[in-house]
Amino acid sequence: MMGGVKQISGAETSLPGLYAAGETADTGVHGANRLASNSLLEGLVFAARSGQAMMKDAPVKKKHAAGLPGSPAPQAWQPHCSAAAQEQRKPAENAALTKIRDVMWRLVGILRSGKELTGAMEQLRSLELPKTEEHGRAHCEFRNMHALASVMVKSALARHESRGSHYRSDFPYRDDDDFAKHSIAQKAKEIRFEA
């Protein structure tokens, strides 16, 4: 999957409170043939704009570190996700994560076809998401992985061609007439293409 979260201005996205910069953002500054936006310009300029926009938009009581939720980011020498955090995941969540990884590796890899992608979509839809009252990090990461996997499969199914790193064995050639456009994914809508 290549691309990023579309910005509407400077750093803001269409979702209130969501800002994007760098590899996450689709700024259009460097054209379509980018993994997203990972240039020095975008890493520095757009990241600074994102930070400024977040500070401007933050509620007054949260503009000071004392009012921010959560804990400080780990230092470089600290592990990103501790063994204790991994163990806190419920067995059902671990099994579901393993299933998502397996489906994506086997059916949505470098070489893909409509039949495999349809099978992947069916398996992702049939996957029962663990229900919990808690909304901790592990739970959110799992739901995000499931949502991203679903969007990737829907986008690959909608693009009836091969382009860049997207190769479909049932559509081995580029189709500039219909698909020389960005894929646009929005919640509860079909994938669409626009220049």
Side-chain angles (χ1 to χ4, degrees), residues 80-153:
H80 177 64
C81 191
S82 67
Q86 290 287 348
E87 288 176 22
Q88 286 178 345
R89 286 194 168 134
K90 297 182 176 105
E93 235 170 50
N94 282 331
L97 275 173
T98 300
K99 179 68 173 176
I100 291 172
R101 289 183 182 123
D102 177 63
V103 165
M104 296 303 286
W105 179 257
R106 285 185 306 103
L107 304 175
V108 195
I110 296 170
L111 298 176
R112 44 182 90 153
S113 71
K115 181 179 177 184
E116 291 168 330
L117 293 167
T118 300
M121 195 75 250
E122 289 169 1
Q123 289 186 45
L124 289 171
R125 283 185 181 138
S126 70
L127 188 61
E128 187 172 325
L129 303 178
K131 299 191 179 16
T132 180
E133 296 297 318
E134 302 169 23
H135 293 293
R137 178 178 176 166
H139 177 75
C140 291
E141 284 177 350
F142 168 76
R143 290 207 171 272
N144 290 341
M145 282 181 66
H146 185 268
L148 179 59
S150 297
V151 168
M152 287 175 68
V153 173

Side-chain angles (χ1 to χ4, degrees), residues 3 15 23 42 48 66 68 72 78 80 82 94 98 105 142 144 147-148 150 156 161 168 178 191-192:
L15 294 174
E23 191 68 24
E42 291 160 302
L68 296 175
Q78 293 174 326
H80 177 64
S82 67
N94 282 331
T98 300
W105 179 257
F142 168 76
N144 290 341
L148 179 59
S150 297
E161 67 159 355
R168 283 195 50 177
D178 294 325
I191 301 297
R192 68 181 203 280

